[in-house]
Amino acid sequence: MNNDDLFKPIDTKRTRLRCPRPDDAAVVAKVMTPGISRWLASWPAPMTQQAAATRILKAREEIAVGQALHFLVEHRADNAVMGWICVSRAETLSGVGNLSYWLNEAYHHCGYTTEASLAAVIAAFGRLNLDSMEGGAQVDNVASFAVMRRLGMELCGERIVWASTRCRNELCIFYSMTRDKFVQYQRDGVMPKIVLNRSDA
Ligand SMILES: CC(C)(COP(=O)(O)OP(=O)(O)OC[C@H]1O[C@@H](n2cnc3c(N)ncnc32)[C@H](O)[C@@H]1OP(=O)(O)O)[C@@H](O)C(=O)NCCC(=O)NCCS
């Protein structure tokens, strides 16, 4: 099985965002608890190692063809797996990206997702050459909305999303931002300054 990274890891102060590897399947399956899954449309819990392995292979295919960036988030202090962040094109060749994330419950509420997502968003705008990014969450997912607002995203509407893990439609609220708004948000000093580059972030 090929465990080579498809892109160089990105370090933030406390986290490392790296390419998901087939060898991660067991730990990804283990940390995907019902408490996280209930907020996600397509990550079931319990999750088998086989299901995680299949998901990782699909993620790597999407990275390879430029359809998405998937990041396995590690705790830099001890290399523990913290979670997963994805920015995927809404459609093939689309300039609109969909942001999603989850974090191992042991690390919640310490600012890790905000920190890691900022790096992921910068990388995605650059490497996927996106014009805008959006993210949606169930109407009562206050933590997710707080993360999106921290990134500079603004409320843009609501729509129904099919949640395959629960086999039902769910109403979700969406936030979005254009690339220009994100750059301006950074420039205004609301978030840490990191250079955003279209070809390589
Ligand atoms: C959403 C999630 C990734 C947030 O991760 P996190 O690392 O705890 O978030 P942060 O610590 O960066 O916090 C960001 C903001 O959310 C707020 N927040 C975090 N957890 C919260 C909670 N349980 N209740 C209320 N606010 C919360 C923080 O106070 C912070 O707000 P602030 O910037 O106004 O201070 C995490 O709760 C999670 O994995 N949830 C399950 C999966 C999920 O919901 N994914 C998103 C689906 S679209």
Side-chain angles (χ1 to χ4, degrees):
M1 195 101 55
N2 181 2
N3 268 293
D4 294 347
D5 285 352
L6 303 173
F7 57 83
K8 275 197 234 160
I10 301 168
D11 284 350
T12 68
K13 193 170 167 203
R14 299 175 296 169
T15 71
R16 170 160 297 145
L17 285 72
R18 67 164 174 79
C19 184
R21 303 168 188 146
D23 282 357
D24 296 319
V27 66
V28 166
K30 188 172 160 213
V31 299
M32 180 44 63
T33 58
I36 302 175
S37 169
R38 67 179 286 253
W39 298 108
L40 301 170
S42 68
W43 288 82
M47 186 174 215
T48 63
Q49 184 172 335
Q50 182 55 45
T54 303
R55 186 144 196 145
I56 288 168
L57 283 183
K58 182 163 180 281
R60 288 172 66 90
E61 282 167 18
E62 290 178 355
I63 294 167
V65 299
Q67 172 61 22
L69 276 177
H70 293 266
F71 302 97
L72 198 289
V73 183
E74 278 183 355
H75 195 222
R76 281 183 65 191
D78 56 8
N79 297 332
V81 170
M82 301 181 81
W84 187 292
I85 300 175
C86 170
V87 180
S88 63
R89 294 185 193 281
E91 306 285 343
T92 311
L93 301 180
S94 166
V96 180
N98 280 320
L99 172 67
S100 59
Y101 37 68
W102 57 262
L103 196 74
N104 179 340
E105 289 183 81
Y107 298 100
H108 280 192
H109 230 322
C110 299
Y112 285 117
T113 301
T114 302
E115 177 179 326
S117 295
L118 176 57
V121 164
I122 290 170
F125 268 126
R127 295 177 195 188
L128 298 179
N129 197 17
L130 300 173
D131 301 314
S132 65
M133 198 170 302
E134 66 171 24
Q138 294 163 27
V139 292
D140 49 351
N141 194 341
V142 288
S144 185
F145 298 137
V147 171
M148 289 191 265
R149 281 194 297 269
R150 275 273 177 208
L151 294 171
M153 299 170 94
E154 291 172 348
L155 186 65
C156 69
E158 58 179 45
R159 62 178 184 259
I160 300 286
V161 171
W162 175 250
S164 57
T165 46
R166 291 171 290 282
C167 288
R168 67 179 190 205
N169 285 321
E170 291 174 351
L171 181 64
C172 289
I173 293 177
F174 280 77
Y175 279 66
S176 69
M177 65 183 162
T178 62
R179 177 192 174 85
D180 291 345
K181 270 272 173 70
F182 179 63
V183 171
Q184 187 189 346
Y185 190 69
Q186 282 193 298
R187 196 182 297 135
D188 290 347
V190 185
M191 58 173 63
K193 296 240 176 337
I194 302 180
V195 175
L196 176 58
N197 183 324
R198 220 169 235 282
S199 58
D200 191 6

